[in-house]
Amino acid sequence: GAVVSQHPSWVICKSGTSVKIECRSLDFQATTMFWYRQFPKQSLMLMATSNEGSKATYEQGVEKDKFLINHASLTLSTLTVTSAHPEDSSFYICSARATERNYGYTFGSGTRLTVV
Amino acid sequence: GIQVEQSPPDLILQEGANSTLRCNFSDSVNNLQWFHQNPWGQLINLFYIPSGTKQNGRLSATTVATERYSLLYISSSQTTDSGVYFCAPGGTGANSKLTFGKGITLSVRP
């Protein structure tokens, strides 16, 4: 139980284009989802907290206009990297928690974004 | 925010050996998880362990919340145990976030 699906697993895009990453909770409802970013050989850094039906809460230093988050339903949050640049290339991971269960947080499989 | 320190940063083991991975954290927490990140980046939840001791096969974990540390034990290590191990303490509310340590890179050699 407590499965989080993330899509796509990897994407290559040209500079200046936008990329959308989806995060779905498959067997539970998630009013809150989290988006992390991970650079090679580094830890996970929280980018933002996605709240269903309201605006996301961004961590300090994260550009909200570049990383658009939409949490339109209890099972889906999306992260859109707008006007992507090579420095946006990274591994993006989402997570959610089935609060009614005692599993802790479950993570998606991640999306490896390469901007060329 | 919470400061998380994991040690050792790197660990090389011979297959079959045992090891202990440590996680120290700076504040009181109501949640702590251990994850294994495989070579493809997938984070596997090993333990949800805000306190006490749990065991799952060759792995076990202990968190002493009052002393702000947690330990992950790996016994009879296998090459498939290689990867990065993260400790992530946090709160228990729906909006509570996890703070990740820098990770421990484990290499198990055949």
Side-chain angles (χ1 to χ4, degrees), chain A residues 32-79:
Chain A
T32 304
M33 291 185 175
F34 301 88
W35 288 95
Y36 292 81
R37 183 175 183 177
Q38 185 180 31
F39 290 106
K41 299 188 183 300
Q42 293 190 24
S43 186
L44 280 75
M45 298 297 295
L46 180 66
M47 298 175 65
T49 302
S50 172
N51 304 300
E52 187 267 335
S54 66
K55 292 183 179 180
T57 303
Y58 290 83
E59 295 297 300
Q60 191 172 8
V62 177
E63 299 177 61
K64 61 178 69 175
D65 294 333
K66 167 166 277 297
F67 300 101
L68 299 180
I69 292 173
N70 184 277
H71 194 151
S73 77
L74 288 172
T75 59
L76 174 64
S77 175
T78 60
L79 168 68

Side-chain angles (χ1 to χ4, degrees), chain B residues 17-68:
Chain B
N18 303 326
S19 64
T20 300
L21 285 61
R22 187 177 181 98
C23 172
N24 293 332
F25 44 95
S26 61
D27 296 317
S28 298
V29 297
N30 296 315
N31 181 22
L32 189 139
Q33 289 180 246
W34 281 95
F35 296 93
H36 175 215
Q37 188 168 38
N38 64 24
W40 298 270
Q42 175 72 51
L43 277 170
I44 309 299
N45 182 22
L46 298 177
F47 292 103
Y48 168 65
I49 186 164
S51 64
T53 298
K54 291 185 179 179
Q55 180 156 6
N56 184 6
R58 297 181 295 102
L59 303 181
S60 64
T62 295
T63 297
V64 183
T66 54
E67 297 186 22
R68 300 179 183 173

